[in-house]
Amino acid sequence: MSKIAVVTGAGSGIGRAAALALLEAGWSVALAGRRAEALEATVAAAGGGADRCLPVATDVGDAASVAGLFAAVKQKWGRLDLLFNNAGRGSPSVDFDELTHEDWFGVVAANLNGAFLCAQEAYRIMKHQDPVGGRIINNGSISAHAPRPGSAPYTATKHAITGLTKSISLDGRKWDIACSQIDIGNAATEMTDRMTKGVPQANGTSMVEPRMDARHVGNAVVQIANLPLDTNVQFMTIMATKMPFVGRG
């Protein structure tokens, strides 16, 4: 039997790339995302791996919806080996005092509450299954290290993901639950299309930024996922080589 993974935000971008890479590597994958039609597009892109997909429309910010996702996984496969906590969103780039409460709470719900809810459900399954254990990989982002201008909600949540990753890593030791964080910079997805036209920099200018193929992120997820549980990549940064991150600000 193949190993079992849950990938959130699997309907597009990095989530789709990771899901397809896992399927190509022989995993069975539950595809979670808000839009059922986008998840079905990922299934279609899986080709011969489509029969190892379980698309489940999920709002990661809603506890009941998340519980339903993991219940479906347990019912179909009986266990869980990997969660890639990838779903998230940003907000408009505005000056701090112009940030709406709606945008703040929306980003926190998706990026932080969603990561917590999914990790907790995955942890419960991994703790009580036989053999015990599993792996959780959190999508941290370059913003877990350095902010962009006008990005307070996204940056704050990605810094919080680092604390969540460390806490899960510590608490999960006795149950053989490993936890990693991948900090991703400028993967070519719909979310980063704006970078091809120029994005604000810390010095007040705007510049076009290099991007990288999101498939490389998917391959990185597979690399970590296939490690034995006594080995962990605690933190990984994968980024477009020439993006303005090192020295940013």
Side-chain angles (χ1 to χ4, degrees):
M1 181 179 176
S2 63
K3 289 188 174 181
I4 310 303
V6 169
V7 176
T8 65
S12 62
I14 290 168
R16 176 176 289 175
L20 294 178
L22 286 162
L23 288 161
E24 186 176 349
W27 288 65
S28 295
V29 183
L31 311 170
R34 289 177 299 165
R35 297 174 296 142
E37 65 277 10
L39 298 179
E40 292 297 340
T42 300
V43 173
D51 61 344
R52 287 181 278 111
C53 293
L54 174 65
V56 184
T58 308
D59 177 359
V60 297
D62 180 82
S65 183
V66 170
L69 163 66
F70 285 88
V73 170
K74 191 170 182 180
Q75 180 177 17
K76 182 172 179 64
W77 289 306
R79 65 174 291 109
L80 177 63
D81 300 290
L82 173 70
L83 164 66
F84 180 35
N85 238 340
N86 166 73
R89 54 160 286 193
S91 61
S93 179
V94 296
D95 203 7
F96 188 75
D97 66 317
E98 298 172 4
L99 178 66
T100 69
H101 292 174
E102 181 182 17
D103 278 332
W104 172 268
F105 288 115
V107 173
V108 170
N111 296 8
L112 181 56
N113 295 348
F116 161 74
L117 291 169
C118 290
Q120 188 178 56
E121 291 291 338
Y123 191 106
R124 286 191 179 117
I125 294 175
M126 293 171 180
K127 176 179 176 180
H128 296 289
Q129 64 192 5
D130 183 20
V132 73
R135 189 180 301 275
I136 296 169
I137 302 175
N138 293 323
N139 182 341
S141 170
I142 291 288
S143 291
H145 302 274
R148 290 185 178 277
S151 70
Y154 189 79
T155 297
T157 55
K158 293 305 183 178
H159 274 67
I161 289 296
T162 301
L164 183 66
T165 298
K166 291 179 178 179
S167 291
I168 295 170
S169 295
L170 183 59
D171 293 350
R173 284 180 182 175
K174 59 186 174 182
W175 308 113
D176 286 336
I177 299 172
C179 188
S180 302
Q181 180 171 315
I182 300 183
D183 296 325
I184 303 161
N186 290 15
T189 66
E190 292 179 6
M191 184 180 288
T192 62
D193 279 345
R194 60 194 178 91
M195 294 178 183
T196 64
K197 303 177 180 64
V199 288
Q201 305 295 307
N203 63 2
T205 63
S206 179
M207 67 174 284
V208 173
E209 294 192 9
R211 300 190 298 166
M212 63 171 179
D213 194 319
R215 288 180 296 180
H216 300 311
V217 180
N219 293 336
V221 170
V222 172
Q223 179 186 8
I224 296 173
N226 282 337
L227 291 171
L229 291 178
D230 64 0
T231 305
N232 192 33
V233 175
Q234 185 68 72
F235 294 100
M236 172 189 284
T237 300
I238 183 167
M239 55 183 273
T241 303
K242 296 183 179 181
M243 69 172 289
F245 165 56
V246 178
R248 188 155 91 184

